Amino acid sequence: NLRRLIWSVRELYPGTRIIVADDTPHELLESFQDDNIDHYMMPEYKGFFAGRNLGLSQVTTEYFLYMDDDHYLKHFTKLEVLVALLDRTDFHVVGGVYEDLPLYATTIRVLGNSSHACYEKLRE
């Protein structure tokens, strides 16, 4: 749930800005507005794409991490590894598994130019 996600981010990365785009029905809505949390209440049932677009429109940093309310960070989460990969390569997107699976990451490289692009999934 959202409370667990927020707690996990605050525990592992204190001071990190969290943007919440929430389309929960208004009668069930709980506000999470707080220091370093921007909670945007959307019209009900707009869907996760609308929420992601709203959230992305509020990002002011070089990097961001998409997470859904049923995701959370664990004690072995190392976002700095993903950031280092972005800094040291020409990759534009990196991601990881959020389930109890062996440590695994997927990297996608964007190839092309201003008029054509494709995504290449890099394997181990």
Side-chain angles (χ1 to χ4, degrees):
N1 66 29
L2 185 56
R3 184 178 310 284
R4 179 177 63 179
L5 168 60
I6 290 170
W7 180 87
S8 73
V9 172
R10 285 183 160 176
E11 181 75 15
L12 292 171
Y13 298 97
T16 298
R17 181 176 178 221
I18 300 170
I19 300 169
V20 177
D22 198 340
D23 68 344
T24 300
H26 298 295
E27 65 273 6
L28 301 175
L29 190 66
E30 178 182 357
S31 176
F32 288 93
Q33 191 70 39
D34 201 357
D35 291 342
N36 294 322
I37 299 176
D38 294 324
H39 190 179
Y40 296 94
M41 287 152 258
M42 301 170 45
E44 297 178 12
Y45 301 113
K46 282 297 185 181
F48 66 90
F49 280 116
R52 287 184 175 183
N53 286 335
L54 172 61
L56 183 59
S57 75
Q58 301 305 307
V59 172
T60 59
T61 56
E62 184 175 3
Y63 303 114
F64 66 94
L65 176 66
Y66 272 130
M67 295 183 77
D68 292 324
D69 62 353
D70 58 341
H71 299 167
Y72 61 98
L73 303 176
K74 294 191 173 187
H75 68 280
F76 53 80
T77 300
K78 301 289 183 228
L79 295 180
E80 55 275 12
V81 172
L82 298 177
V83 170
L85 185 61
L86 290 167
D87 285 341
R88 290 192 317 255
T89 67
D90 62 346
F91 300 155
H92 299 279
V93 179
V94 294
V97 173
Y98 57 89
E99 298 175 7
D100 287 327
L101 298 173
L103 296 179
Y104 175 82
T106 299
T107 306
I108 299 171
R109 181 176 20 208
V110 180
L111 305 169
N113 55 37
S114 61
S115 63
H116 296 84
C118 68
Y119 298 93
E120 174 186 31
K121 180 177 179 180
L122 303 175
R123 302 190 186 277
E124 291 185 89

